[in-house]
Structures are given as C-alpha cells and as structure tokens.
Amino acid sequence: MLTVLIVDDEKFERNGVKFLLKREKEEFYIIEGVNGKDAVGILASNHVDILLTDVKMPYMNGLDLAGHVKENYPDIEIVIFSGYNDFSYAREALRYGVVDYVLKPVDPAEFHKTMERVIGHIKAYRTEKEKQERQEDYLKKYFLQEWIYTEDKKSEDNLAALTEDTQDILNRCTRMILAGASNAFFETEEEHFIGNLRDGIQRELYYVNLNSNESLFLFTEKYADYGKLAESLYQFFLRKYDSECYFAVSRPLNGWRSFPSEFRQLESLLGRQFYQPDRHVMLNGKSADPAGKVTDPDSELTEQISKDIKYKDGAQLKADFGKLQQKYRQEKSFSEMYIKFVFSGIVKEIYEQFPELGEKELAKKVEKMYRCRKIGELLDIVNDVIVEYELYLKNQKGAARKEVVQVKNYILHHYSEKNLSPEYLAAMVYLSPGYLSTVFKEETGVTMNRYVREVRMKKSRELLENTNMKISGISAEVGFSSSTYFCRSFREFFGISPEMCRKGQTVDETKGQKVQES
C-alpha cells in the first residue's frame, strides 16, 4: 500500500482528490495537510510515497514545499496541482523534481493517467532498488564466507566497504548459531522458512547459507538466552519441516571481524553430533555437564565409550572415561568385582584395535587389573591403556589419509549425486562420520560439506564458461535439485550470477561498482 500526502488549504479540493484516489486500482493510505508548513511536520514523522500539492497556499507554497521534499526526501514522487493562471509556476516546479502537474479543475481521466505514471515510476524504482540490494547482499555474503573460511585480507577490505554503515547487521552481530542437517535441508529455498522463522522467534536475524547441509544464523541481541533460542530453532525445524537439525551457539561476539576463529570452533563443536546424536544444542565455551556433576547413566557412558573406541576418537574417549571414573570414585555402592568387570571390558575393546599385540598381552593386563586392591590402581592401568591407544591413533593418521584421498576422489567423480553427506561418505570408507570429518578437516583445511560445495561450484563455472548447457541443466549436472537454489548458491560463492559468469563478467567488476556505490 502506498502512502499519499495531499496538501491543499481548501478542504473541498482535498476531498475531491481523495474521491479520485479511491477510484484507482491501487490502495492508498491517505494523509492530509492544510499548507506547506503543515506538510513539513507531517513528513518528519511519516513515511510518504507520493506528494500531491497545490501551488498557492499560505505560510509555505507548493514550490517551496517541493524544494524541501526533493532535498530531504528524494525518493518521494511529487505532483503539483495548479490553475491555468498558475501554469508558469507548474513549469518552474519541474526543476524542483516534480514529476508531473495537473491543471485545475481536475479532469478525472488526466488524473488517472498521471497516477498511473507516478505509480509506474515508484514500482520501477523499487524493483531496481530491490535488485541492487539483492546484488549487494549477494556480495556481502560472498565476502563474508571468504572471510570466515580463509581470513583473506582482500575479503576483509571489501566486507568493510560494504558494511561502512555502523547499523549494518554484521557490525551489530553479537552471536552466531551454526546449524547442521544431514538431509540437505538447507537446499530448501530460504524464502520458504525464513519468514516463518522470524515470526516464530520474533528476533532480528541474518541468514547465510553455507551449503545444503549447513547454514549460519546471525543475531544482534546482547542479553538473550541463546541456549533456549537454539532449542527453539530445533523445535521449529522439527515441527514445521520434519527436519532434525543440530545447533552450535557461539560465545558473545564483537562484530564480523571476530567471526573466523569462533566459526572454526563452532564447526568442531557441530562435528560432535555424530557422537551425541540426542544432543541437538551445543554451547561454545560450556561443557556438556556442570563441573563435578556426572549425569550419564552407567549404561549410556559405557556405550558411548565403546563408540569412541570404535570410531577411533581418542580425545572423546579420554573425556568420557573421565566421567566414568569420576562416577566410580564418588559412588561406593558398586561391588569390587563389578567395577573390575566394567573396566576390563573397556581395556578388552581397546586391545581389539591393536591386533598386533595379541591375546597374551591382553590377558596379562586383565589379570593385573583383577589383582588390584584399590580403585586408584585399577584406574591407573586403564588410563595407561588409553594413553597407548592415543599414541597408536597418532601413528595411524597416515593410514587415515588414504581414506581422505578416497573420499576426495569419490566427490570429484560423483559430484552430481544428490546425497554426498558426511554419513554417506564415511560409510563408504568404513569410518565413523565424526572421525572422518576430523581427519578430512585436518588434511584439507575444510569440512566435507564445504569441499563438496567447492567442487560443485567450480564444475558449474567450468560448464558455464565452456558449454552451451542451460543453467537448469548445469544445476542438475552438479547435484542440485533446485535451479533457484543453485543460482543463489553460485552468486554467494562467486559473487556473480551464473548469467554474468557466462557473459564473462568477473566478481571484481561487480565488486568495484557496488563497493563504490556503497
């Protein structure tokens, strides 16, 4: 709905204009002013799209009002009403930015044509402005992703140019939440859920899609409970879209320059979802349980330790075993035989990962454990075995590189497949998703999700530059189910649209123009 300000010192004339406006197809919110001075006050406290003003009025005439409006509110469309004898004034008004004039008495047909032109100007301007804002937003997201992944100085400089306004949301950002999904949920068009999400949580947010399985949500509130907010996000996506997502919440931030180091920690935190599938919200800087309190039931802890051993996750094994030994140090209700049985079972599982040591070495360890008279002696033996296991895993890192190479080759030759999730790729090389993710990041410097996106984007650019394939065909060829999502991803990854890429335009050309405008 457009807002129209009618300014005329004659009420009869204002009523006549209102009558004519009601005959138009467009809906208007109408405000009235009795003279130019009155209108100046109205404009200071109201958004106005169209100004319809008489020329001759007391205190401030229509020409002076038009000059004030063009200087202070350049986006407002101005139409002057004048009698035949005032026609010379109306012509003079053109230099004040008046788009049209209407002679009195007003001819309804001429008024209708004038309003059609004015509304056409507004819609064309808004369309162009929205296009420019979208392009600037694509550039901002492009440089933001470059910044958080690489901390590249050029990206920092360009991002600084695009966020010169202190009120830009990236400057006001206080927290970020990294969201992960394993079902390519974030390939869904963001327009389908962002509006609903904003309505649901009633908070200002900025959304950055990273790939089909990961997205970043940026928030500006300083004192909100972000743990509860992340839980609300989890419930929203589960109820509304039947998608089970995981969320890693950052510590307090001070603008976008602090993003990269925090983002890396969120990536690491989110990787723990593979080991704790029932835990959907993780807070950076806070442990899973309060210090000195162990909440895991015995069976859950031992089951988790078995997974840690199976998945070759030495760091998580040490943490979970720490919880288990704390439990047995504090609680005295367990029998000595039961405790020895539990811990010897852990040692047995670990030694099964050392086939070269043989059963004799395992039997010696277990016999020694059963001869222990104090729990401290028992725990020391298990801790020594865990240290051995960690050393073994470090020596096996070279072997894991083979799996990384295998996964990379698979991605390079099967990028068109829809499902290239960490779970799928890990199953292919018989490793846990968590362990493969950790090793993959160490070897390549990026997560598997990011690597998949890089391969798909680079291949799509190659196809755009060297073939005549339609964009929809290229989208499907590189593994996207939605060409719209592909186009948005391409712009956010390269900073230009697929069409611009095909025409040979570079991001530097687009960047130079937009950064200067900003």
Side-chain angles (χ1 to χ4, degrees), residues 6 75 98 153 198 204 231 239 248 285 290 337 347 387 451 504:
I6 305 171
D75 295 342
V98 174
K153 185 64 169 61
R198 283 196 174 99
E204 182 182 25
E231 183 61 37
R239 289 197 313 268
M337 190 58 65
V347 169
V387 170
Y451 186 80

Side-chain angles (χ1 to χ4, degrees), residues 11-217:
K11 185 172 183 180
F12 175 79
E13 297 287 353
R14 297 198 304 271
N15 287 341
V17 175
K18 285 196 292 183
F19 173 77
L20 293 175
L21 286 173
K22 289 177 181 176
R23 297 175 60 182
E24 297 293 321
K25 292 180 181 179
E26 191 79 30
E27 286 190 36
F28 300 102
Y29 174 67
I30 298 172
I31 307 173
E32 297 179 58
V34 297
N35 55 57
K37 188 176 180 180
D38 185 33
V40 170
I42 293 171
L43 289 164
S45 55
N46 293 273
H47 169 79
V48 173
D49 297 299
I50 304 171
L51 170 65
L52 305 177
T53 180
D54 192 19
V55 172
K56 286 190 174 181
M57 296 178 294
Y59 304 111
M60 179 187 276
N61 64 37
L63 296 183
D64 291 338
L65 175 60
H68 171 81
V69 168
K70 214 59 195 172
E71 182 178 349
N72 296 282
Y73 311 99
D75 295 342
I76 294 179
E77 299 284 320
I78 306 171
V79 177
I80 289 282
F81 290 105
S82 67
Y84 182 76
N85 293 332
D86 302 320
F87 181 67
S88 60
Y89 289 106
R91 292 179 61 184
E92 184 185 347
L94 294 176
R95 67 188 181 87
Y96 288 97
V98 174
V99 295
D100 216 331
Y101 60 87
V102 178
L103 289 176
K104 291 182 177 181
V106 178
D107 180 339
E110 286 300 315
F111 180 83
H112 172 67
K113 289 179 181 178
T114 298
M115 292 306 297
E116 277 193 328
R117 284 195 294 272
V118 170
I119 293 169
H121 290 165
I122 292 174
K123 290 184 175 178
Y125 170 76
R126 287 185 174 179
T127 299
E128 182 60 27
K129 186 177 181 181
E130 287 174 2
K131 182 180 177 182
Q132 290 178 357
E133 288 176 347
R134 282 198 303 271
Q135 176 62 22
E136 187 169 307
D137 192 55
Y138 282 127
L139 281 174
K140 186 189 294 185
K141 289 177 178 176
Y142 165 72
F143 290 125
L144 177 60
Q145 291 191 55
E146 285 289 299
W147 172 240
I148 62 176
Y149 281 113
T150 68
E151 292 189 77
D152 177 67
K153 185 64 169 61
K154 284 182 65 177
S155 296
E156 180 184 13
D157 292 342
N158 287 314
L159 198 55
L162 288 168
T163 57
E164 286 181 339
D165 183 358
T166 57
Q167 291 306 303
D168 188 278
I169 192 167
L170 295 189
N171 292 322
R172 295 183 291 111
C173 177
T174 59
R175 293 287 184 110
M176 59 182 172
I177 297 179
L178 178 61
S182 58
N183 59 351
F185 172 78
F186 293 111
E187 191 168 329
T188 304
E189 284 302 303
E190 63 186 76
E191 292 81 4
H192 293 173
F193 66 83
I194 287 297
N196 290 332
L197 180 58
R198 283 196 174 99
D199 292 340
I201 64 175
Q202 293 292 301
R203 283 178 169 86
E204 182 182 25
L205 68 87
Y206 187 68
Y207 174 78
V208 183
N209 175 249
L210 302 176
N211 51 68
S212 59
N213 287 319
E214 291 178 326
S215 284
L216 199 59
F217 297 89

Side-chain angles (χ1 to χ4, degrees), residues 324-338:
L324 189 65
Q325 66 175 324
Q326 186 179 4
K327 180 183 181 73
Y328 286 119
R329 285 185 187 277
Q330 290 178 345
E331 299 185 27
K332 310 298 182 183
S333 57
F334 301 101
S335 70
E336 179 182 330
M337 190 58 65
Y338 174 75

